[in-house]
Amino acid sequence: MARYVQDGSLDCGLTGHDWVVENNAVITELAELVFSKVSRRPVRWVLAVPNDSPIQGPKDLEGKRIATEVVNITRKWLASHNVTANVEFSWGATEVKPPKLADAIVEVTETGSSLRANGLRIVCDILTSTTRFIANPEAAAHTWKRQKMDDLILMLKGAMAAEGKVGLMMNVRRKDQAAVLAALPALLKPTISNLSDPDWVDVMTIIDEDAIRHLIPRLKAAGACGIVEYPLNKIID
């Protein structure tokens, strides 16, 4: 789903209109799942040209060749600028097409590093996009099918919530409990369970994976032992 914004670019955000920009397919959106290969930011479809290209904006594309996987999106964007160009479908490796096979490309990027590596510069953004869970409207209205979809969305969101986090459990003497809890990051609410030995408790919590290497030595120094770090597949709130 997308909409045109004031600068003439396309913004793939929630608009209340359930349709796919590239082919105008009518759908029902059930969830937004914000993730991509390297970040949790939206991806960008951008207009890119060789570094030495004279193209500086949409008007410079008149009569030019543009290679892209999103032909209709590109044509709609050009039309919004009253520009006519030859838009050609490109299947993969679009970055290598300019300048011999195309004057410009419309390509998806997160960081722009692949474009820069191929000697291209970004002229402007055309569309921003996030991953969406979509369904046929009739299927989404069917009670049994919708429940299956909602269950799947719950599992997907749980997997996303677990990304970058790990579980941590440890044994702690009761006399050291306060010191160990103080070593944990603020706002964490660990689970504390009694052990068969009344002088000991078990402490379990979830923490960001990148904090573990600094945290475990502090927990050990505070009196924790039997410290176990384990991976998480899903976190369901």
Side-chain angles (χ1 to χ4, degrees):
M1 284 137 29
R3 59 186 173 89
Y4 288 98
V5 295
Q6 289 182 352
D7 63 1
S9 63
L10 277 165
D11 177 38
C12 195
L14 294 174
T15 67
H17 302 291
D18 291 349
W19 54 284
V20 178
V21 179
E22 176 63 11
N23 60 9
N24 290 327
V26 177
I27 53 89
T28 295
E29 178 184 321
L30 301 184
E32 182 179 19
L33 306 171
V34 183
F35 72 94
S36 50
K37 289 182 180 179
V38 299
S39 73
R40 287 298 182 93
R41 300 190 304 269
V43 297
R44 302 154 57 203
W45 284 92
V46 301
L47 174 71
V49 298
N51 288 326
D52 58 357
S53 171
I55 296 173
Q56 298 296 328
K59 298 301 182 183
D60 299 326
L61 295 169
E62 186 68 35
K64 303 296 186 181
R65 296 171 299 167
I66 304 173
T68 183
E69 294 181 37
V70 286
V71 173
N72 291 327
I73 288 174
T74 303
R75 287 174 176 164
K76 291 174 184 177
W77 178 78
L78 290 169
S80 72
H81 291 280
N82 296 316
V83 172
T84 301
N86 182 18
V87 182
E88 302 174 348
F89 178 77
S90 173
W91 180 260
T94 305
E95 298 97 328
V96 303
K97 300 291 177 67
K100 292 184 178 180
L101 299 178
D103 299 297
I105 64 170
V106 171
E107 180 65 332
V108 67
T109 184
E110 291 182 60
T111 65
S113 59
S114 179
L115 297 174
R116 290 191 295 272
N118 284 277
L120 303 176
R121 60 177 169 85
I122 295 174
V123 175
C124 61
D125 287 13
I126 290 179
L127 177 144
T128 58
S129 178
T130 56
T131 303
R132 310 295 174 95
F133 191 108
I134 64 175
N136 178 289
E138 292 184 6
H142 188 283
T143 302
W144 181 84
K145 292 180 180 178
R146 179 59 177 265
Q147 184 60 56
K148 293 296 184 182
M149 295 176 195
D150 288 341
D151 291 347
L152 182 55
I153 290 169
L154 179 67
M155 294 297 129
L156 290 171
K157 287 186 173 181
M160 290 173 59
E163 184 179 3
K165 297 185 182 298
V166 295
L168 200 63
M169 61 182 178
M170 67 208 80
N171 292 332
V172 181
R173 290 184 180 87
R174 288 191 185 274
K175 67 182 182 65
D176 297 324
Q177 180 176 323
V180 169
L181 295 183
L184 291 173
L187 303 181
L188 285 183
K189 297 180 179 178
T191 298
I192 301 175
S193 304
N194 294 323
L195 297 179
S196 58
D197 187 329
D199 293 330
W200 288 79
V201 296
D202 182 60
V203 177
M204 299 181 64
T205 190
I206 295 172
I207 192 167
D208 292 336
E209 186 175 14
D210 57 8
I212 282 292
R213 65 181 183 274
H214 303 296
L215 179 61
I216 288 180
R218 294 203 300 269
L219 293 171
K220 178 67 175 176
C225 63
I227 301 172
V228 177
E229 174 191 345
Y230 53 93
L232 299 175
N233 293 324
K234 295 178 183 64
I235 299 177
I236 308 296
D237 289 329

